[in-house]
Amino acid sequence: AGNAEAGKARATVCASCHGQNGISFIPNYPNLAGQKEQYLAESLKAYRDGLRNHMVMSPQAKGLSDEDIANLAAYYSSLDPKPE
Amino acid sequence: AGNAEAGKARATVCASCHGQNGISFIPNYPNLAGQKEQYLAESLKAYRDGLRNHMVMSPQAKGLSDEDIANLAAYYSSLDPKPE
């Protein structure tokens, strides 16, 4: 599994759409907080490798290493899905 | 927006992977509880219309009407993302 602390550091750009706490600002962008770690990792790889396409996510994922992906997945899955 | 009660009735087959309460049993299948309604609807349409492909979700979504999709999205977005 990845390192959530390292994921948090890597997530600054993600927060602009997915929210500081992983709850998205944008109605058709998903909440990530508390999502399944493996699902998150597989989604990021799919965007990076072109199996899944999105105008924003595809370029965002292009530059991610496997380690970045594991850390981001660990970070977002560790967040509370219902922050107070 | 859709009708969550009607969505609940339509969701019996979804529950086998995504859980009775929208928290998935399977590590690389997403939790749906409390997810953004519009994101859920767009994802289901993408699977139905072939913009997004998955061995299980694509055939599942094939038979869904727009109304089914709206109701399922209303239902799952209404669920508590952190059930006790």
Side-chain angles (χ1 to χ4, degrees):
Chain A
N3 173 313
E5 271 315 303
K8 182 173 186 175
R10 196 69 180 74
T12 14
V13 65
C14 316
S16 49
C17 293
H18 293 291
Q20 288 304 335
N21 53 11
I23 303 299
S24 157
F25 298 116
I26 303 164
N28 61 336
Y29 286 7
N31 300 327
L32 303 180
Q35 185 54 274
K36 289 281 189 280
E37 184 167 0
Q38 193 179 330
Y39 173 74
L40 289 170
E42 287 184 11
S43 297
L44 281 173
K45 279 181 184 159
Y47 280 123
R48 182 185 65 187
D49 304 341
L51 298 174
R52 199 171 153 181
N53 298 294
H54 185 276
M55 59 182 180
V56 176
M57 279 306 296
S58 298
Q60 284 297 336
K62 262 301 162 271
L64 296 175
S65 67
D66 285 345
E67 194 189 350
D68 289 332
I69 286 176
N71 295 342
L72 285 164
Y75 170 59
Y76 278 108
S77 61
S78 73
L79 295 181
D80 184 342
K82 210 164 87 166
E84 294 327 308
Chain B
N3 175 313
E5 271 316 303
K8 183 173 184 176
R10 195 70 178 74
T12 14
V13 65
C14 316
S16 47
C17 292
H18 293 290
Q20 289 302 336
N21 54 9
I23 303 299
S24 158
F25 298 117
I26 302 165
N28 62 336
Y29 286 8
N31 301 327
L32 302 180
Q35 184 55 273
K36 288 280 188 282
E37 185 167 0
Q38 194 178 329
Y39 173 73
L40 289 170
E42 287 184 10
S43 297
L44 281 173
K45 281 182 182 160
Y47 281 122
R48 182 185 65 185
D49 304 340
L51 298 175
R52 200 172 152 181
N53 298 293
H54 185 276
M55 60 180 181
V56 176
M57 279 307 296
S58 297
Q60 284 297 337
K62 260 305 160 268
L64 295 176
S65 67
D66 286 346
E67 196 188 349
D68 290 331
I69 286 175
N71 294 341
L72 285 164
Y75 170 60
Y76 278 109
S77 60
S78 73
L79 294 181
D80 184 342
K82 209 164 85 167
E84 294 326 308

